[in-house]
Amino acid sequence: MKNVKTFEKKLRKFLGDLPKVRPVEIEAGLGRVYFLIEAVLQADATRKQAAAAVAAIRREYVDLNELRVSPIKDIMDCVGRDMPRAREKAEELVTVLNQLFLDHNQVSMDKLAEVHKRELRRRLQELDLDFYAESVVRLMLFGHHAIPVDPTLAACLEMDQYIGVGTPLMEVQSLLERLVSAKDALAAHEYLRSYAEKQARHLPKPPPPPPPLPAVAKPKLAAPLPPLMDEDEEEGPGPSQVRPSAGQAAKVKAAKVRAAKIKAIKKTAVTRAAGQAAKTASKAAKTSKPAGKPAGKPAGKGRK
């Protein structure tokens, strides 16, 4: 990112003196998994939207095993179709919960609390958590130094010229983590979430998706294709015949070529048979016995 020093100066002034925030108490066991679900749903949404979606999931599903095997469409209907990136988040929830089940034989995150910091980050990435949810879990559940950044927060900071245009999320997070100490990371996260929720309404709306293309009806033939003709027959479609398509014309041409080859083979075979018969007859004539001499005139009577 260009002009890093300029942006660092702006961000220091923007963050200012962050108020102290008490850490959120999260119950062990299922409480940690439900917090992970809320972290997934919170990206590009408000905290109120994410909390309401988690409450709906708790009401709809008996347990987390039912949720992890639920169809994507049902999860989308449960969290609300107005949830930003609803389908993407529903797919992520199913993937993450199933990966937890495969790794621990149950949908639980308790064993991750015993893992080293570097190993924990790798384990969370292996769950296929997105960039924002992984940072929220490390910060809120395990007390790591992390500043979660989602596309909405990055877009707001870019709009207000706190970062450069098109700066990747990892660079934005790295910049914020250099400016904010570990003890102030939680306060910075809460401050930035409030800022993003207020400023997101001023972001330019994305262009609507293009309308679906109209279905193209297949052309119907007004009359059946003409039958294949031998070479002796006169070619050329009659006035009532319809010109075939490119694929049909290729098939007709291939059929004609095959018919011509077969006819040529038959003609060659007939010619060879006739030649062989002629040779056989000539040979037989040469080897046969010559005919006897013609009988002479009968002997006349002796002269008297």
Side-chain angles (χ1 to χ4, degrees):
M1 182 172 57
K2 298 180 180 180
N3 303 322
V4 176
K5 298 297 182 181
T6 302
F7 291 126
E8 285 183 355
K9 185 177 180 180
K10 289 183 177 180
L11 284 171
R12 281 196 182 95
K13 186 176 180 180
F14 166 65
L15 294 172
D17 295 330
L18 295 170
K20 293 184 179 180
V21 178
R22 291 183 179 181
V24 180
E25 296 182 1
I26 301 171
E27 298 178 0
L30 294 180
R32 290 178 175 176
V33 183
Y34 278 111
F35 180 81
L36 179 146
I37 294 172
E38 186 172 353
V40 171
L41 296 171
Q42 197 179 95
D44 294 324
T46 63
R47 289 167 290 184
K48 186 176 180 180
Q49 281 180 304
V54 173
I57 288 175
R58 284 179 175 270
R59 291 193 303 268
E60 182 69 21
Y61 295 97
V62 176
D63 55 22
L64 293 172
N65 283 311
E66 184 183 1
L67 176 61
R68 73 179 177 85
V69 298
S70 180
I72 301 300
K73 180 179 178 297
D74 293 350
I75 299 177
M76 293 174 61
D77 293 336
C78 181
V79 302
R81 297 277 178 163
D82 57 340
M83 168 67 67
R85 295 158 46 199
R87 172 172 289 279
E88 180 183 338
K89 292 178 180 180
E91 293 174 351
E92 183 177 352
L93 287 178
V94 171
T95 301
V96 170
L97 294 179
N98 278 288
Q99 192 61 46
L100 281 174
F101 182 80
L102 291 174
D103 292 345
H104 307 288
N105 294 324
Q106 59 180 339
V107 184
S108 173
M109 297 181 63
D110 292 342
K111 291 184 179 180
L112 294 177
E114 305 171 0
V115 178
H116 190 268
K117 287 185 177 182
R118 292 183 180 179
E119 180 68 13
L120 174 65
R121 188 166 191 175
R122 185 183 65 82
R123 291 280 189 90
L124 292 176
Q125 290 173 349
E126 289 177 350
L127 294 178
D128 286 337
L129 278 175
D130 63 43
F131 184 69
Y132 176 83
E134 179 252 323
S135 299
V136 171
V137 169
R138 289 194 298 113
L139 172 66
M140 305 287 285
L141 281 182
F142 302 103
H144 292 189
H145 183 200
I147 307 294
V149 178
D150 61 4
T152 298
L153 174 59
C156 292
L157 293 173
E158 181 181 316
M159 177 181 64
D160 293 336
Q161 298 181 358
Y162 290 116
I163 60 174
V165 177
T167 305
L169 298 183
M170 293 187 66
E171 290 189 19
V172 177
Q173 177 174 335
S174 178
L175 175 60
L176 292 172
E177 289 176 356
R178 289 200 305 269
L179 299 176
V180 179
S181 62
K183 65 177 182 179
D184 293 330
L186 182 58
H189 170 60
E190 294 296 329
Y191 179 77
L192 290 171
R193 290 312 301 168
S194 299
Y195 161 76
E197 291 174 4
K198 292 178 182 178
Q199 293 297 101
R201 68 189 70 177
H202 303 300
L203 291 173
K205 295 182 179 180
L213 297 175
V216 179
K218 295 182 179 180
K220 296 182 179 180
L221 298 178
L225 293 175
L228 297 179
M229 295 182 295
D230 294 334
E231 291 182 355
D232 298 336
E233 297 179 358
E234 184 179 356
E235 297 185 359
S240 62
Q241 295 174 343
V242 179
R243 185 177 180 181
S245 63
Q248 293 169 339
K251 291 181 180 179
V252 171
K253 185 177 180 180
K256 288 183 179 182
V257 171
R258 287 197 300 270
K261 287 183 178 180
I262 293 173
K263 191 171 182 179
I265 292 172
K266 289 181 178 180
K267 188 175 180 180
T268 303
V270 171
T271 303
R272 288 181 180 177
Q276 188 67 28
K279 288 181 180 180
T280 303
S282 177
K283 186 176 181 180
K286 290 180 179 180
T287 56
S288 61
K289 293 182 178 181
K293 295 182 179 181
K297 294 181 180 181
K301 293 180 181 181
R303 294 181 180 181
K304 292 181 181 181

